[in-house]
Amino acid sequence: MDKSILMQLQNVTKTYVLGEIKVEALKETNLDIYQGEILVILGPSGSGKSTLLNLIGGMDKPSTGDIFFLDRNLSHASDRDLTLFRRREIGFVFQFYNLVSDLTARENVALAASLVSKPLDNREVLDQVGLADRGDHFPSQLSGGEQQRVSIARAIVKNPTLLLCDEPTGALDYQTGISILELLKQARQTMGSTVILVTHNTAIGAMADRMVRMRSGSVADIIINESPVPPERIEW
Amino acid sequence: MKVLNRRLQHIIKGSLGQFLGMAVIIAVGISLYIGITTAFFNLSQSQHSFYQDNNFADHYFYIVRAPESILKQVEKVPGVKLATGRIQKDIPVLKDNQERATVRITSYRLPLDREVNSIQLMGGRLFSSYPASGGMEVMVNPAYFEANRLSWGESIDIVAENRKYPVKVVGTATGPEFTYIMKDAANMMPDNETFGIMMIPLNQAQQLFNLPGQLNQVLVQFVPGADVDTAVQSIKDILSPYGNLASFPRQDQLSHAALDAELTGLDAISGFLPMIFLTVAAAVQFVILRRMIKTQRTQIGILKALGFDNTQIILHFSTYAILICAIGAAIGIGSGVYMASYFSDLYAMFFNLPQAIGGLNYQVILNSILLSLGVGALAGFSASRPVLEISPAESMRPLPPSRSSRSLLENWAWFWTRLSSSWKMAFRTISRNRFRLLVSIFGIVSAVALLILSMFTNDAVDYMMDQHFNKESSYDYLLTFSQPVKDSELLNIARLNGVEHIEGFFSLPVRVHYLGHSEEDVLIGIDPANTLKRPTRENGQFIPIPDDGIILSRRSAERLGLKVGDTVQLETLLGLGPARYAQVKITSINYQLLGNESYITLTQANRILNEARLVNGALMQTDSSQTENIEKHLADMTGINSIVSRNKERDNILSMMDSMIYMVSIMIMFAVVLGFVIIYNSVIMSFNERKRELAALLTIGFTRQEVAGIMWKETIPQAIPAVLLGLPAGKMLAELYFSSVEFDMWYMPVVIYPSSYAMAALGGVVFVLLGQWAASRGIKKLDIIELSKNID
């Protein structure tokens, strides 16, 4: 694993105001993210893991603190700059896929590819996720696992620096979930992307290079995994 | 249910733009319904009571002259309820400013309540048959009195049988046959300054026209259920020795026909115009509610799991639609009552009805409430039916992605492969929601069609005026003489300073007979070389006057079922000497927009009368710098019965048209509101449906503008064809409206200028842009953080 730092979070907090209530979703957090690693963020519901992922992915700005991507400070970036950051550097995989229902699998991938100047080849990417022969199907014609594969293909076609996954196996059965994890690991190997995975499933932590445990909005622990386990050997 | 009501409040708050938009559409529909229907009821009530209170005649009979005693014979005819005789004739009035006016002398016998076509005193006092101070007392219609700034007791000079008489104006009055006062069918609008009704005692009229103990008109009222045709024939037989000039039923009386045409138009428009808005509102509410139920499926499942039954839940959602309609009705009633009052004032201006045309019509208001709530209930209950199919357990699971299918356009591979992903999305979304697409298109087509309808009245009148004043006729003055004269006598007028050109004509009232049926008509005899007034074909082309044959009026041709090549018999109705007959062949049909006369050569007209070179009128072209001089000289000529200035006629019409602009503006505003709300709702629904997808696009790197652009791509393929379809739909609507209000005396083609089409299309573009912009503001607030939450 390349140890150069890709992103740095320094004293980052995030507070949401919901009516009269202030929710401190993320308390003072410091975290470095390394190029090419698989980082798994673990924690129960409400621990702040999704908030952390959203901040890393440029989907939100911190209330206080700084987030550096290489030498760029994203904390004070404009909406447009954050959009461009997400366009060029981030691939996002959601728990419920969020595909465009009116586009086929191939077209969903092409949609993302259209955003960057040098995307990967649509067909190759679909082939990589094992859906070369299902490219002309609409999401309603695909199983949950197949939809998630399309979602991954859509994320990686941009050749992103960071691949962020929010509970990617949360809506899938065990076998399908394992196959998704295998794809994510493959993406790191073939493209060199940094993969950050948020999950409440502690078993998935075994495949990580590092695990970040979240509790009540704070980083409770950061564990280096000396021997990451291949996805096919993970059980839950 | 309290909880459900609170939930409903939250739903309304969350969709306030859509809720209010729909309420506005309902309000517009209800306003139009109340405004137009109330105006219709008020006007027809006023008409009905005015006719009833003043014994409006069922049938008119014009004769040369008959003794008063003839009435006793007429009254004995089975079916006759009441008969009145009178004298009526048009004569000139000499005004102080040297201008000429014409008044229609109409005689009355006191007491008035036993007379057919009685009159109602409006101001001043009733005339006396034998004034103590001697002389003659008259009443005039109120509009003439005001337009000429007369005062009570003022003396004016009239000319009858070539003699000048001073008469004293003592009062104003109106009658059921004077609700819309036009000199004849050649005029488009009343000209109160130059034409009025002068009411005088019968004995005075008999003296004026040298008709002692005689009448020249008989008016009859029939008993309900009488055999009118037989009675009319019997009366004609009684009157035939006295020169039967014309007879016609009430429906052909000019004033009544104008009022009736207006009522028919109101009736027609009160039917379809509000329904357009209410139908669109119902359809859009249906679509909104269906969408709402689909997206709130989980919550419905939760409500069912908690124990709420289907009825409660259906009522809960239907209340959304019913509330929209209730609020819309409340706003609509207020604005509708105001509109009714405005329309009533407008009609009061046009029609001389003595009773106030106004007042609330509670029945109409009640109907509007029921109509509005009915629309809400229909939309609500029919849209809520899917609630029955939702099971609590199933509803908790996330919805699978919407079924998508290929758009028809995909069959056109060459085109489809060249489309970007966002265009493909747009076409497939449209394809997936066909009912919503139809509702949107119907709404936009209706809005654009309404824009066309608003503007076409202006266009049609503008066309008529252009045709009438600039093409069909190019004279500056139309003169009628009190007696026919030799055409050589026109030189006396031609010699006046400023007269550039003069053409004589003979206007001959005739009866056209064909296969046992007949119609009264006016035959104009003119020289084929005349250019100042000419008959025209349907396409506006001039028709040359044939040496032999007749160019028949459209009205007579339609009523008698005549066509070119048919031969008819003409019977003269001059009233001077015996009736003359002639067989003539129809060579063309006259489609002049105003006037509806038949044409023949002057030679033929004279031949029918066994005369030569007689004229009883003239058309003049003059030097505009000599207008004052010419009018002064003409006013002094007592042989001239009337002088009609074309410029004044045109100005009069233009001033009447000003009041229409306000109505047109209201209609345009309503149409734009309708179009705006349709687009706004359509975009909002699509946006709400695809919030998560759109948020996902933001996540993967699309800017908000780019996402807004994707929404645009859904609107454009619906809006452009709909706006274009709205243009011919507007023309059809105009034709439908016009076919329901045909007024016999005028021929008004449905004319819509290209500029009106362009303006309507532009209006369509404006409301599409506005609606899209308003609805797309939600994209700015799209929260991509929501995507990390797992609730569907």
Side-chain angles (χ1 to χ4, degrees), chain B residues 344-492:
Chain B
S344 298
D345 289 345
L346 202 64
Y347 284 123
M349 197 168 82
F350 278 114
F351 296 107
N352 305 299
L353 289 159
Q355 283 149 328
I357 312 173
L360 287 177
N361 188 321
Y362 292 104
Q363 184 62 51
V364 169
I365 291 174
L366 180 66
N367 288 349
S368 72
I369 294 170
L370 293 173
L371 187 62
S372 180
L373 294 179
V375 164
L378 179 68
F381 289 117
S382 55
S384 302
R385 278 180 49 212
V387 165
L388 299 169
E389 292 154 11
I390 295 173
S391 87
E394 278 287 329
S395 69
M396 307 289 185
R397 293 197 196 104
L399 260 179
S402 318
R403 272 185 208 283
S404 195
S405 55
R406 301 194 183 275
S407 156
L408 283 170
L409 271 175
E410 294 186 52
N411 296 326
W412 186 12
W414 177 90
F415 176 71
W416 189 256
T417 49
R418 280 159 177 77
L419 287 178
S420 66
S421 303
S422 46
W423 274 112
K424 286 177 181 169
M425 270 167 68
F427 282 117
R428 286 200 186 119
T429 306
I430 292 167
S431 190
R432 185 161 44 89
N433 294 299
R434 285 186 198 146
F435 183 70
R436 197 194 304 172
L437 170 71
L438 281 173
V439 170
S440 288
I441 288 178
F442 175 67
I444 297 169
V445 166
S446 302
V448 173
L450 283 175
L451 284 175
I452 297 274
L453 190 67
S454 316
M455 290 185 280
F456 106 94
T457 317
N458 264 355
D459 288 354
V461 171
D462 187 70
Y463 175 79
M464 268 184 78
M465 287 190 56
D466 182 49
Q467 281 292 112
H468 177 61
F469 289 105
N470 299 330
K471 296 193 176 114
E472 289 172 4
S473 43
S474 51
Y475 58 86
D476 295 316
Y477 292 94
L478 185 153
L479 313 175
T480 59
F481 307 137
S482 45
Q483 304 285 349
V485 300
K486 287 286 181 196
D487 62 355
S488 54
E489 299 214 22
L490 294 177
L491 284 172
N492 294 331

Side-chain angles (χ1 to χ4, degrees), chain B residues 208-220:
Chain B
L208 260 183
F209 299 112
N210 201 19
L211 294 168
Q214 291 173 323
L215 318 158
N216 71 359
Q217 282 188 11
V218 173
L219 315 171
V220 172

